[in-house]
């Protein structure tokens, strides 16, 4: 199976990560590093999962209150395993529908 065929099997997921307490940008960066390590380890084990992008949620003080992440993965279980290994919340996981365009 070619790499292109494998990518065709991946589903798009959107993950809401709500934080119990706000964190700083530096703490967000550290969480991103943990996420990257978990992704790398999962891929080394043969799990198809890719991070596409994340939107950062902040409060009025500019502290990070959560993220809205877009991943491509073979299954919802892969998304949950990544969150567990990275120590990240996965408040809600949904399949991505067709995006709407802005103005």
């Amino acid at each position: 199976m070619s790499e292109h065929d494998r990518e065709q099997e991946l589903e798009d997921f959107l993950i809401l990560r709500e934080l119990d307490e706000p964190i700083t940008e530096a703490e967000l960066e550290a969480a991103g590093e943990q996420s990257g390590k978990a992704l790398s380890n999962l891929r080394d084990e043969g799990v198809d999962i890719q991070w596409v992008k994340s939107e950062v949620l902040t409060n009025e003080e500019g502290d990070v209150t959560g993220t809205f992440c877009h991943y491509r993965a073979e299954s919802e279980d892969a998304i949950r395993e990544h969150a567990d290994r990275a120590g990240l919340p996965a408040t809600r996981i949904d399949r991505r529908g067709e995006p709407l365009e802005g103005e």
Side-chain angles (χ1 to χ4, degrees):
M1 180 180 304
S2 74
E3 186 69 24
H4 178 71
D5 291 339
R6 288 171 58 95
E7 284 186 20
Q8 293 296 90
E9 295 176 10
L10 297 181
E11 292 185 75
D12 287 284
F13 292 92
L14 296 177
I15 303 101
L16 174 62
R17 303 187 193 283
E18 290 180 309
L19 301 175
D20 292 332
E21 296 290 328
I23 62 173
T24 65
E25 290 286 336
E27 290 169 317
L28 177 64
E29 189 173 317
E33 289 178 17
Q34 285 299 112
S35 174
K37 288 177 188 172
L39 285 171
S40 180
N41 289 339
L42 284 167
R43 286 193 288 257
D44 287 348
E45 295 168 21
V47 177
D48 277 348
I49 185 168
Q50 302 169 350
W51 171 60
V52 179
K53 72 175 192 174
S54 295
E55 298 288 338
V56 178
L57 310 173
T58 62
N59 60 18
E60 290 179 2
E61 289 79 36
D63 291 326
V64 177
T65 58
T67 60
F68 215 6
C69 303
H70 178 188
Y71 280 74
R72 291 182 49 74
E74 64 184 40
S75 67
E76 186 173 327
D77 286 343
I79 299 292
R80 291 193 186 285
E81 181 66 22
H82 168 259
D84 287 346
R85 291 189 188 194
L88 300 172
T91 310
R92 183 171 172 165
I93 300 171
D94 289 289
R95 280 164 179 76
R96 182 178 183 243
E98 286 299 313
L100 301 174
E101 295 296 324
E103 293 185 315

